[in-house]
Amino acid sequence: MDNINTYISVLHGSLRKKLELIKEILELTKEQNRVLSKEEVDVDSFDRLVSQKELKINEVLGIDNGFQSLFNKISGPVKENPQQYRQQILEMQNFIRTITSFGIEIENLEHKNKEKFKTFVASKRNSIKDFKVSNKTAVSYYKNMSNQHREWQSYFVDSRK
């Protein structure tokens, strides 16, 4: 029984740490939204935020794996005596509800960020296309102009008028 209380305490701590990480991920996602909302997107800042989020997400995944293996270890005895661990279970359920609500908020922001990012990429793609077309036109013009006069061609000047 003492072991199970220790394990439940570890599970509780894992959920607390996961909640902190989820809040940090939410803040990073909000910051991504602010970066993507600016007229001139700072790609370096956006990339830095993505890297930071990736690290936090990997930490959350590690916590989830540890939580699941520990939960599997103690789920039998806890299910046999749910009243004995009622308070700890309720606290963990509250953590899970809060984590889930933050997760939904992150998911909604991610969807908005994805749309903004698609718009940003499309506009950059169009600018690159426009640049290529303008460059090709300029090159073609200068090529044609440089080929207008050949040394063997003569010029006729019409002096009548």
Side-chain angles (χ1 to χ4, degrees):
M1 177 167 127
D2 195 32
N3 250 353
I4 294 177
N5 283 328
T6 303
Y7 288 148
I8 289 177
S9 176
V10 171
L11 290 176
H12 196 272
S14 294
L15 287 174
R16 187 178 299 115
K17 177 67 176 167
K18 182 177 179 176
L19 180 58
E20 290 171 19
L21 289 169
I22 293 291
K23 285 179 181 178
E24 291 174 21
I25 291 170
L26 178 60
E27 286 307 311
L28 290 170
T29 306
K30 286 179 180 178
E31 183 61 27
Q32 279 181 323
N33 189 286
R34 285 189 282 275
V35 167
L36 289 171
S37 295
K38 293 180 181 175
E39 186 151 332
E40 190 60 38
V41 174
D42 183 1
V43 179
D44 292 332
S45 292
F46 184 78
D47 191 42
R48 179 183 47 79
L49 291 168
V50 168
S51 297
Q52 289 175 348
K53 266 178 59 174
E54 183 180 11
L55 293 174
K56 301 290 182 195
I57 289 169
N58 287 336
E59 283 185 62
V60 168
L61 292 175
I63 288 173
D64 282 347
N65 291 337
F67 183 91
Q68 190 60 47
S69 65
L70 192 55
F71 180 78
N72 291 341
K73 207 179 245 189
I74 66 164
S75 65
V78 170
K79 286 180 184 176
E80 290 172 5
N81 291 324
Q83 289 303 321
Q84 185 176 356
Y85 308 105
R86 188 172 194 278
Q87 184 60 38
Q88 294 102 326
I89 292 171
L90 289 175
E91 288 174 12
M92 287 191 291
Q93 286 175 339
N94 285 333
F95 271 124
I96 292 170
R97 279 188 204 96
T98 306
I99 289 169
T100 302
S101 69
F102 280 127
I104 291 169
E105 190 175 347
I106 290 170
E107 190 175 334
N108 289 336
L109 266 173
E110 281 292 339
H111 180 69
K112 290 176 185 176
N113 288 351
K114 180 180 177 183
E115 293 304 315
K116 287 181 180 182
F117 188 73
K118 280 182 180 179
T119 303
F120 168 72
V121 169
S123 77
K124 289 298 176 186
R125 196 173 284 139
N126 285 338
S127 351
I128 291 170
K129 181 182 173 188
D130 291 346
F131 176 76
K132 285 182 178 179
V133 168
S134 298
N135 195 25
K136 187 176 180 180
T137 303
V139 166
S140 176
Y141 171 78
Y142 288 119
K143 189 186 258 186
N144 284 336
M145 292 310 292
S146 68
N147 291 333
Q148 286 298 315
H149 177 68
R150 306 268 189 232
E151 287 183 27
W152 52 268
Q153 289 179 332
S154 60
Y155 284 106
F156 293 104
V157 178
D158 189 6
S159 57
R160 297 178 279 164
K161 197 167 187 187

